[in-house]
Amino acid sequence: MPGQDMRLTISTSPHLHSQDTVPMAMKDVLIALLPVTVISIYMYRFYAVFLIAVCMLSAIVFELVFRKVMKKEATLFDCSALVTGLLLALCLRPGTAWWVAVLATFFAVGIAKELMGGLGWNRFNPALFGLVAITLLAPLYVGINPSFALVRPSFGSLDVITQATPLALMKQGAFGQLSLSQMLIASPGGALGETSALALIIGGIYLLYKKHISWHIPISIIGTVLVVSAIWTPAGIAAGIPLFHVMAGGVLIGAFFMATDWVTSPITTKGQIIFGIAIGILVMIFRNGLASTEGVAFSILIMNAFVPMIDRLTRRPKFGEIAFGEAAVPAKPSVSKSS
Amino acid sequence: MSVKTFQRGVNVPHYKEFSEGQPISTIALPSEVIIPLQQHIGAPGQALVSVGDKVTAGQKIGESSAFVSAPIHASVDGTVTAVEPRPGFTGASVESVVIAVDLKQKEPQWTKRDHTAMSKDELKAAIKDAGIVGMGGAAFPTHVKLSPPSPIDTIVINACECEPFLTCDHRMMVEMTDALVEGAKLIAKVVDAPNVVFGVEINKPDAIKALQSKISGEKGLSVVNLEVKYPQGSEKQLIKAVLDREVPPGKLPLEVGVVVQNVATAIAVYEACHLNKPVIERVLTLSGDAAYSPGNLMVKIGTPISHVLKERGGARVAEASKERELSLPPDLVGKIIMGGPMTGWAQSNLSVPVVKGTSGILLFSPTMVTETEHSDCVRCGKCVEHCPMFLYPNYIGQYAELGNYAKAAEWGAIDCFECGICTYVCPANRPMVQFVRETKKEIAAAKAAK
Ligand code: SF4
Ligand code: SF4
């Protein structure tokens, strides 16, 4: 054609694009996890460094291997494997055997994500899936554990590692040993990611500020945990038990980093609030009723399964389907298009 | 100051600073104009002239007997050199009248008349004769829009100009306030509407002031300040913001007693009724980060883009301006868009002419061209959160990608007006607007096959 200039790009509208990309969002999640990562390394030293390195490296390897075997393009650039690896490491306790960590990553990245079709198609939060898988399999591998004894690195002993978790302390009625302000800033006990409530909140605020997550899920989870625990044990309100429930045992990391996972949470804000409230209730049932230590992980995974149903139930009408301004509109015979 | 708006939508960068302070200016005539016989939604016009004919500016050269159509006029004095298909801005070829422009142009003489004395039918006939169409880009014939089958109580003048970069409506509001207000009143008279509301985004304070002082004391006229948000200027969103009425899916604004017209259209109505002047020129914005000399230009219909670029120095290079040569070094210009950046059409052929619906010509540098691969939907929900029609662009995209167009339609593809927000916000870069267009095409084909 005359005048054709092949150097010009032809594409459909829109010709502008926001700065948001998946890799950028994932990098921001890594940044948001930095404070708690630093504190857990401060607390657990090499134990933390070791677990984080093992999980992140094996996440990369599993992603590469699975995509290669399934003959798909590598998608490492989206950084989602790194996020899953880091989140998983933060869910583990210091002293967890390296091969258990690798196994967890295999379940997380290999099974929960790549086998399900890759990022976007997974039904369950990969990191939590990995965590719950190794928790459920624990009885099976107690027997094999000693055979790995020779290949287990030793970083010397650190007495904080054997310290009871705050949740366990509370269960034993030793609540008095805990200080809320200590838990807020930094305290040992539990998984790597449970060492500092404040660090998690800072990370969560960063994600909110960057608009990668909205407030609906975290606030409805935290709010529900507060309210349910206050109703459950009214006597504990003065002692700060509701606050304690929020700060202990992974509620914060779950609320800000796990339940808000784009892929595995409801698509509408209404659905997100329902999702959050249900998780909050489940967490309290697990804690008060069933005495499970991985209550948060189980609660979120259970609700992940309900996401398609929540999405269906909260399907919103199109613009104009419910005429909000009907009263202002003069009654008119209905007409079809004027053309 | 109360500021109104609609639900959802998104804030996009304005980029208006390139041209908003530039008064409307004219450019020299090209040596040839290419006037497509279809510049509107509806039936194409039939050529009334043939090769060798002398034509004068304002002479009718194309017309159709269909109701939904608009006549086409010569924009210059000259000689018809061809009547043949020529590439249009959508990429498809359109039957066009090509006119070699006379070197000696007479200043066109318009016969003034007293438009206030004209009856409704006379006004409507004048609007039809002048070939007026929606000049915001939709190009729907205006006389059809002004023939509603049910009563209209309010005319909303779309003075939002919510597309980034575009400033031509803004300049017209400031420089041609009288014509705009008169035109709006004429439109109201045609459909017996007692109220006229000008909806203006608050990033144009000078336009708001000009309008307010012009209409003060006039009964039934008002200015509504609107939040700066995209797509504030879309008909349904505008009506919602200004009057709090919702047009039901698949229906037109007249359903809720409203007709929307844009600024340039209202001014064209005034000129048609008062001066008997057809649409032979329009104001458009030349802008973009790669434009050498951005501005708001009065351009004859049919002027090739290449001529506009040549007159205004093309890309942002000093040499180009000195020699007034069309210069598009590939390292400086990556994309040329006709219309706004959210809904406009990328061009590769610079002989494409300016038509009645052309609101802008934008030159983007390669850094503004975001061509990255898209990945699978990560269900972030941003498209759902921002879609002003409350659709589910994520599912539309997923189903269309799988070829399941019936499902894509079920999630709202047909109600989508292709504002582009979903694609704009998507972190996975998914081309939802493209999926919507595919779906609409497939569904229409399936209906036709039945
Ligand atoms: S689906 Fe259509 S109306 Fe909704 S945001 Fe996308 S382009 Fe706009
Ligand atoms: S914005 Fe893109 S990634 Fe997010 S839900 Fe919509 S289609 Fe999916």
Side-chain angles (χ1 to χ4, degrees):
Chain A
M1 238 185 265
Q4 196 89 17
D5 190 332
M6 300 315 290
R7 296 165 309 183
L8 292 169
T9 306
I10 295 299
S11 59
T12 45
S13 60
H15 306 286
L16 293 178
H17 198 276
S18 68
Q19 302 300 313
D20 261 348
T21 61
V22 174
M24 289 247 304
M26 293 295 170
K27 277 177 204 143
D28 275 337
V29 175
L30 292 176
I31 293 173
L33 286 170
L34 207 58
V36 71
T37 307
V38 168
I39 291 196
S40 73
I41 291 175
Y42 172 77
M43 286 272 149
Y44 300 135
R45 307 294 153 107
F46 283 113
Y47 286 91
V49 176
F50 177 67
L51 274 182
I52 291 169
V54 166
C55 286
M56 289 178 86
L57 271 178
S58 51
I60 292 175
V61 171
F62 284 128
E63 166 136 336
L64 282 177
V65 168
F66 267 82
R67 291 199 78 94
K68 185 105 198 166
V69 169
M70 292 162 77
K71 298 204 167 46
K72 290 194 202 164
E73 255 174 88
T75 47
L76 271 186
F77 72 90
D78 71 15
C79 295
S80 67
L82 288 178
V83 168
T84 304
L86 180 56
L87 275 175
L88 189 54
L90 292 174
C91 289
L92 298 176
R93 296 191 183 191
T96 304
W98 67 266
W99 61 273
V100 173
V102 171
L103 191 66
T105 321
F106 167 80
F107 277 109
V109 175
I111 308 292
K113 195 175 91 180
E114 291 307 333
L115 265 195
M116 296 290 287
L119 185 68
W121 297 103
N122 48 307
R123 268 282 192 87
F124 297 99
N125 182 307
L128 291 180
F129 188 90
L131 174 69
V132 165
I134 55 160
T135 310
L136 294 178
L137 291 175
L140 292 180
Y141 57 65
V142 185
I144 13 175
N145 209 5
S147 56
F148 279 94
L150 285 178
V151 281
R152 184 192 292 263
S154 165
F155 304 114
S157 74
L158 209 60
D159 40 347
V160 286
I161 289 173
T162 46
Q163 193 159 332
T165 69
L167 265 185
L169 282 177
M170 188 184 70
K171 283 255 175 268
Q172 295 155 14
F175 186 64
Q177 296 180 9
L178 298 161
S179 129
L180 280 174
S181 60
Q182 215 183 355
M183 283 176 66
L184 179 68
I185 295 168
S187 68
L192 264 53
E194 290 167 23
T195 41
S196 165
L198 191 64
L200 291 168
I201 293 171
I202 290 173
I205 289 175
Y206 178 73
L207 289 184
L208 283 168
Y209 165 75
K210 285 279 185 169
K211 298 214 169 86
H212 295 312
I213 63 173
S214 67
W215 58 267
H216 304 86
I217 293 176
I219 296 300
S220 53
I221 293 179
I222 294 168
T224 308
V225 167
L226 281 176
V227 170
V228 173
S229 83
I231 296 173
W232 207 304
T233 41
I237 297 176
I241 300 256
L243 273 181
F244 169 82
H245 270 293
V246 168
M247 288 198 280
V251 166
L252 287 174
I253 196 170
F256 283 115
F257 294 95
M258 307 283 199
T260 52
D261 172 23
W262 284 345
V263 183
T264 55
S265 60
I267 204 107
T268 61
T269 47
K270 204 162 142 201
Q272 288 167 1
I273 292 174
I274 297 173
F275 179 74
I277 293 176
I279 290 173
I281 294 174
L282 282 177
V283 167
M284 291 312 294
I285 291 177
F286 274 112
R287 284 199 179 163
N288 284 345
L290 301 170
S292 162
T293 44
E294 312 291 359
V296 175
F298 278 108
S299 308
I300 295 177
L301 281 181
I302 290 171
M303 289 316 295
N304 282 166
F306 282 100
V307 165
M309 198 178 105
I310 295 177
D311 275 345
R312 257 198 319 281
L313 293 179
T314 54
R315 181 170 175 173
R316 59 183 180 179
K318 293 181 237 179
F319 177 92
E321 266 184 348
I322 306 167
F324 294 111
E326 202 142 41
V329 181
K332 265 190 197 65
S334 88
V335 277
S336 55
K337 284 195 181 189
S338 68
S339 50
Chain B
M1 182 168 72
S2 84
V3 179
K4 298 183 175 179
T5 195
F6 60 100
Q7 280 179 295
R8 303 182 192 273
V10 74
N11 293 313
V12 286
H14 303 180
Y15 298 117
K16 306 253 191 202
E17 62 279 5
F18 291 109
S19 56
E20 66 189 343
Q22 301 283 333
I24 299 168
S25 56
T26 53
I27 59 170
L29 287 180
S31 55
E32 177 185 272
V33 293
I34 302 151
I35 304 183
L37 287 165
Q38 180 166 30
Q39 302 181 27
H40 47 262
I41 292 172
Q46 300 299 318
L48 304 177
V49 290
S50 38
V51 176
D53 287 358
K54 284 259 175 217
V55 293
T56 54
Q59 179 184 335
K60 202 180 277 182
I61 56 172
E63 196 168 33
S64 156
S65 54
F67 179 61
V68 184
S69 184
I72 305 288
H73 302 80
S75 57
V76 290
D77 297 347
T79 314
V80 177
T81 55
V83 180
E84 62 187 19
R86 287 292 183 101
F89 69 93
T90 62
S93 286
V94 197
E95 188 75 5
S96 307
V97 174
V98 184
I99 303 171
V101 180
D102 275 356
L103 289 177
K104 276 213 305 269
Q105 293 278 324
K106 302 183 286 338
E107 194 48 41
Q109 295 301 311
W110 310 115
T111 43
K112 278 194 186 158
R113 55 186 169 188
D114 181 9
H115 58 272
T116 51
M118 289 165 78
S119 74
K120 280 194 317 195
D121 287 340
E122 284 168 345
L123 290 172
K124 207 194 281 183
I127 290 168
K128 180 174 183 200
D129 256 4
I132 300 177
V133 300
M135 292 172 83
F140 191 76
T142 302
H143 68 273
V144 181
K145 234 177 164 182
L146 296 183
S147 310
S150 55
I152 298 296
D153 64 9
T154 307
I155 300 293
V156 176
I157 299 295
N158 179 359
C160 301
E161 200 161 50
C162 59
E163 278 258 18
F165 287 105
L166 301 187
T167 55
C168 49
D169 284 2
H170 181 182
R171 291 314 307 178
M172 282 189 270
M173 281 186 259
V174 175
E175 296 178 38
M176 305 162 91
T177 324
D178 295 1
L180 170 59
V181 173
E182 281 306 303
K185 286 199 282 194
L186 289 170
I187 291 168
K189 182 171 172 186
V190 174
V191 294
D192 270 330
N195 306 304
V196 177
V197 186
F198 296 85
V200 195
E201 283 189 351
I202 53 170
N203 60 354
K204 309 178 211 359
D206 49 346
I208 294 176
K209 228 168 108 199
L211 275 171
Q212 252 156 0
S213 67
K214 179 75 193 127
I215 64 164
S216 73
E218 297 223 32
K219 215 175 128 280
L221 270 63
S222 58
V223 176
V224 171
N225 299 322
L226 298 169
E227 194 179 297
V228 182
K229 193 164 83 174
Y230 182 82
Q232 185 68 76
S234 144
E235 283 197 343
K236 291 185 176 184
Q237 278 61 39
L238 181 61
I239 296 169
K240 172 72 182 167
V242 170
L243 301 169
D244 196 24
R245 299 182 196 173
E246 284 195 24
V247 181
K251 302 286 181 182
L252 295 172
L254 60 90
E255 196 80 8
V256 295
V258 180
V259 165
V260 180
Q261 292 291 356
N262 110 316
V263 168
T265 316
I267 292 174
V269 164
Y270 167 75
E271 291 181 341
C273 299
H274 180 61
L275 296 175
N276 206 1
K277 176 187 166 189
V279 182
I280 60 164
E281 56 189 1
R282 69 156 295 147
V283 181
L284 58 78
T285 301
L286 173 67
S287 188
D289 67 323
Y292 175 70
S293 168
N296 302 289
L297 312 173
M298 183 69 93
V299 178
K300 299 279 183 242
I301 303 296
T303 305
I305 310 179
S306 55
H307 178 77
V308 179
L309 298 185
K310 195 168 149 198
E311 282 302 308
R312 298 293 285 211
R316 205 175 260 262
V317 267
E319 285 76 20
S321 76
K322 266 190 228 136
E323 296 165 17
R324 307 209 106 209
E325 269 301 320
L326 168 63
S327 168
L328 293 174
D331 52 329
L332 288 172
V333 180
K335 201 189 247 186
I336 295 186
I337 298 156
M338 239 164 137
M342 295 300 282
T343 58
W345 298 74
Q347 305 294 322
S348 67
N349 186 332
L350 299 184
S351 68
V352 162
V354 167
V355 292
K356 293 173 186 174
T358 308
S359 45
I361 299 173
L362 307 178
L363 278 69
F364 276 14
S365 68
T367 49
M368 292 276 288
V369 182
T370 47
E371 291 308 311
T372 37
E373 297 268 298
H374 72 266
S375 47
D376 289 338
C377 167
V378 292
R379 290 181 45 91
C380 70
K382 292 192 189 214
C383 56
V384 177
E385 182 187 334
H386 292 288
C387 173
M389 295 305 288
F390 303 8
L391 309 175
Y392 284 86
N394 56 329
Y395 295 138
I396 296 175
Q398 278 182 328
Y399 281 118
E401 200 170 28
L402 296 171
N404 191 342
Y405 296 106
K407 272 275 190 197
E410 202 184 299
W411 286 101
I414 307 301
D415 293 289
C416 164
F417 65 101
E418 299 171 24
C419 69
I421 287 183
C422 46
T423 309
Y424 175 83
V425 298
C426 180
N429 245 316
R430 295 177 61 74
M432 252 80 73
V433 174
Q434 209 168 305
F435 289 133
V436 162
R437 291 200 183 129
E438 268 169 40
T439 307
K440 285 180 178 169
K441 217 165 86 199
E442 293 292 330
I443 295 289
K447 263 204 192 121
K450 258 183 214 162

Coordinates of all heavy atoms in Angstrom, one line a residue, chain A residues 267, chain B residues 376-384 393-394 422 425-428 430 432, ligand 2:
Chain A
I267 N -12.9 -12.8 43.5 CA -12.6 -11.8 42.6 C -13.3 -10.5 43.0 O -12.8 -9.4 42.7 CB -12.9 -12.2 41.2 CG1 -12.1 -11.5 40.1 CG2 -14.4 -12.2 40.9 CD1 -11.0 -12.3 39.5
Chain B
D376 N -1.2 -15.8 31.5 CA -2.5 -16.2 32.0 C -3.0 -15.2 33.0 O -2.2 -14.6 33.7 CB -2.4 -17.6 32.6 CG -2.2 -18.7 31.5 OD1 -2.5 -18.4 30.3 OD2 -1.7 -19.7 31.8
C377 N -4.3 -15.2 33.1 CA -4.9 -14.3 34.2 C -4.5 -14.8 35.5 O -4.6 -16.0 35.8 CB -6.5 -14.4 34.0 SG -7.4 -13.7 35.4
V378 N -4.1 -13.9 36.4 CA -3.7 -14.3 37.7 C -4.8 -13.9 38.7 O -4.5 -13.9 39.9 CB -2.3 -13.6 38.1 CG1 -1.2 -14.2 37.3 CG2 -2.4 -12.1 38.0
R379 N -6.0 -13.6 38.2 CA -7.1 -13.4 39.1 C -6.9 -12.3 40.1 O -7.4 -12.3 41.2 CB -7.5 -14.7 39.8 CG -8.1 -15.7 38.9 CD -8.5 -17.0 39.7 NE -9.2 -16.6 40.9 CZ -10.5 -16.5 41.0 NH1 -11.3 -16.7 40.0 NH2 -11.1 -16.2 42.2
C380 N -6.2 -11.2 39.7 CA -5.9 -10.2 40.6 C -7.2 -9.4 40.9 O -7.3 -8.7 41.9 CB -4.9 -9.2 40.1 SG -5.4 -8.3 38.7
G381 N -8.2 -9.4 40.0 CA -9.4 -8.7 40.2 C -9.4 -7.3 39.8 O -10.4 -6.6 40.0
K382 N -8.3 -6.8 39.3 CA -8.3 -5.3 39.0 C -9.3 -4.9 37.9 O -9.9 -3.9 38.0 CB -6.9 -4.9 38.7 CG -6.0 -5.0 39.9 CD -4.6 -4.4 39.7 CE -3.8 -4.8 40.9 NZ -2.8 -3.8 41.3
C383 N -9.4 -5.8 36.9 CA -10.3 -5.5 35.8 C -11.7 -5.4 36.3 O -12.5 -4.6 35.9 CB -10.1 -6.4 34.6 SG -10.3 -8.2 35.1
V384 N -12.0 -6.4 37.2 CA -13.4 -6.5 37.7 C -13.6 -5.2 38.6 O -14.7 -4.6 38.6 CB -13.6 -7.8 38.5 CG1 -14.9 -7.8 39.1 CG2 -13.3 -9.0 37.6
P393 N -14.3 -8.8 32.9 CA -13.4 -8.9 31.8 C -12.5 -10.1 31.9 O -12.1 -10.6 30.8 CB -12.6 -7.6 31.9 CG -13.4 -6.7 32.7 CD -14.2 -7.5 33.6
N394 N -12.1 -10.5 33.1 CA -11.3 -11.6 33.2 C -11.9 -12.9 32.6 O -11.2 -13.6 31.9 CB -11.0 -11.9 34.7 CG -12.2 -12.1 35.5 OD1 -13.2 -11.5 35.2 ND2 -12.1 -12.9 36.6
C422 N -9.9 -2.4 31.4 CA -9.5 -3.7 31.8 C -8.1 -4.0 31.3 O -7.2 -4.5 32.0 CB -10.5 -4.8 31.4 SG -11.0 -4.7 29.7
V425 N -5.4 -1.8 33.2 CA -5.0 -2.2 34.5 C -4.4 -3.6 34.6 O -3.7 -3.9 35.7 CB -6.1 -2.1 35.5 CG1 -6.7 -0.7 35.6 CG2 -7.3 -3.0 35.2
C426 N -4.6 -4.4 33.7 CA -4.2 -5.8 33.8 C -2.7 -6.0 34.0 O -1.9 -5.7 33.1 CB -4.7 -6.7 32.7 SG -4.3 -8.4 32.8
P427 N -2.3 -6.6 35.1 CA -0.8 -6.8 35.3 C -0.3 -8.0 34.5 O 0.9 -8.1 34.2 CB -0.7 -7.2 36.8 CG -2.0 -7.6 37.2 CD -3.0 -7.0 36.3
A428 N -1.2 -8.8 34.0 CA -0.8 -9.9 33.1 C -0.8 -9.5 31.6 O -0.6 -10.3 30.7 CB -1.6 -11.1 33.3
R430 N -3.2 -8.7 29.6 CA -4.1 -9.5 28.8 C -4.9 -8.5 27.9 O -5.5 -7.5 28.4 CB -5.1 -10.3 29.6 CG -4.3 -11.4 30.3 CD -5.1 -12.3 31.2 NE -6.2 -13.0 30.5 CZ -6.0 -14.0 29.7 NH1 -4.8 -14.5 29.6 NH2 -7.0 -14.6 29.1
M432 N -7.8 -7.7 26.7 CA -9.3 -8.0 26.8 C -10.1 -7.3 25.8 O -11.1 -7.9 25.3 CB -9.8 -7.6 28.2 CG -10.1 -8.7 29.1 SD -8.6 -9.3 29.9 CE -8.2 -8.0 31.0
Ligands
SF4_2 S1 -6.8 -7.6 35.5 FE1 -5.9 -9.3 34.2 S2 -4.9 -10.7 35.7 FE2 -6.3 -9.4 36.8 S3 -8.2 -10.5 37.0 FE3 -8.4 -9.2 35.2 S4 -7.7 -10.4 33.5 FE4 -7.0 -11.4 35.3

